[in-house]
């Protein structure tokens, strides 16, 4: 849970996407694809795919997965960085009920938090799960906090010395979170785990580990 796959395309670099469903939940994988203007996969390949069309994929890849242990878990997602968090939470919440999980999910606008129904189900079902939504560029009253998602963690936690922190999103988010959590909240560097989304020239969103 938390790893990614690569989609191989003829004549182009593979595109990498985090898998959002938990392992063993089905004999398939679910992807959450942010379609960016001009992207090869999102705008040109994906719309033409039909059920039954062959797609070449390679999986699983990456080392972004939940580490065992009793430490409280803080997860920080930006945009579609929610995808691997969903996979991890679907897999872990039912199994690790003696461990706390807090998800901070940030986006510019409210519609960027596109899976709130799933989040609400976790809130209703699991007492050891907490959610904080953060909007950076939306003044409407959605019941969400305002600002940057990693800064919401700083507000809530004076000390992260005994936590595990998982961050997934744009490189600027990962870099900022790593710096402030370790320097200002005493998070051990070895307890910070990240999957940084980068882009290729065609505009497809990729984990940096691809």
């Amino acid at each position: 849970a938390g790893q990614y796959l690569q989609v191989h395309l003829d004549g182009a670099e593979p595109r990498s996407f985090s898998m959002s469903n938990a392992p063993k939940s089905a004999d398939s994988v679910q992807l959450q694809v942010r379609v960016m203007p001009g992207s090869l996969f999102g705008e040109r390949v994906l719309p033409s795919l039909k059920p039954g069309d062959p797609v070449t994929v390679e999986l699983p890849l990456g080392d972004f997965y939940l580490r065992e242990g009793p430490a409280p878990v803080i997860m920080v997602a930006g945009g579609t960085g929610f995808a691997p968090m969903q996979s991890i939470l679907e897999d872990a919440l039912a199994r690790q009920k003696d461990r706390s999980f807090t998800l901070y999910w940030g986006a510019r606008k409210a519609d960027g938090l596109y899976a709130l129904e799933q989040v609400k189900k976790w809130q209703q079902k699991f007492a050891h799960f907490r959610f904080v939504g953060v909007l950076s560029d939306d003044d409407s009253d959605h019941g969400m906090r305002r600002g940057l998602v990693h800064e919401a963690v700083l507000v809530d936690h004076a000390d992260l010395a005994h936590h595990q922190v998982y961050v997934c999103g744009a490189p600027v988010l990962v870099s900022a979170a790593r710096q402030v959590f370790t320097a200002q909240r005493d998070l051990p560097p070895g307890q910070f785990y990240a999957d940084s989304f980068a882009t290729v020239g065609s505009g497809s969103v990729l984990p940096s580990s691809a």
Side-chain angles (χ1 to χ4, degrees):
Q3 292 185 299
Y4 69 94
L5 60 75
Q6 286 191 333
V7 179
H8 291 266
L9 305 171
D10 292 338
E13 295 181 32
R15 267 47 178 179
S16 302
F17 300 97
S18 296
M19 295 173 281
S20 62
N21 56 316
K24 302 180 181 179
S25 63
D27 60 352
S28 62
V29 295
Q30 297 174 4
L31 306 178
Q32 298 175 4
V33 180
R34 178 187 177 192
V35 178
M36 301 180 68
S39 63
L40 174 60
F41 184 78
E43 283 204 335
R44 285 180 269 172
V45 175
L46 192 60
S48 67
L49 289 177
K50 303 180 298 297
D53 285 351
V55 177
T56 302
V57 299
E58 181 182 359
L59 74 158
L61 300 167
D63 59 2
F64 190 69
Y65 57 84
L66 182 67
R67 272 59 175 182
E68 298 299 322
V73 175
I74 293 177
M75 314 178 90
V76 183
T80 53
F82 172 78
M85 305 302 193
Q86 176 173 320
S87 177
I88 292 171
L89 289 168
E90 284 283 292
D91 183 61
L93 285 175
R95 295 189 298 103
Q96 302 191 29
K97 294 186 178 180
D98 58 346
R99 192 178 189 188
S100 69
F101 292 81
T102 304
L103 170 65
Y104 291 81
W105 188 11
R108 292 182 62 251
K109 302 286 187 178
D111 58 4
L113 306 181
Y114 52 84
L116 288 181
E117 287 304 313
Q118 176 61 66
V119 172
K120 290 177 182 177
K121 290 179 182 178
W122 292 331
Q123 289 178 301
Q124 294 166 0
K125 188 174 182 180
F126 300 109
H128 58 301
F129 171 73
R130 177 172 174 255
F131 170 67
V132 179
V134 184
L135 303 177
S136 64
D137 192 20
D138 193 330
D139 295 328
S140 303
D141 184 11
H142 297 287
M144 305 289 176
R145 294 198 198 175
R146 302 292 183 270
L148 300 178
V149 64
H150 70 285
E151 293 179 351
V153 179
L154 297 179
V155 172
D156 292 352
H157 299 273
D159 186 353
L160 294 173
H162 302 291
H163 289 72
Q164 287 183 2
V165 175
Y166 297 80
V167 181
C168 187
V172 65
L173 167 61
V174 172
S175 177
R178 188 192 307 271
Q179 196 279 323
V180 295
F181 293 168
T182 56
Q184 299 181 24
R185 295 297 185 267
D186 295 324
L187 176 72
Q191 295 292 86
F192 182 92
Y193 307 97
D195 197 357
S196 178
F197 282 6
T199 59
V200 295
S202 60
S204 293
V205 178
L206 304 174
S208 63
S209 51

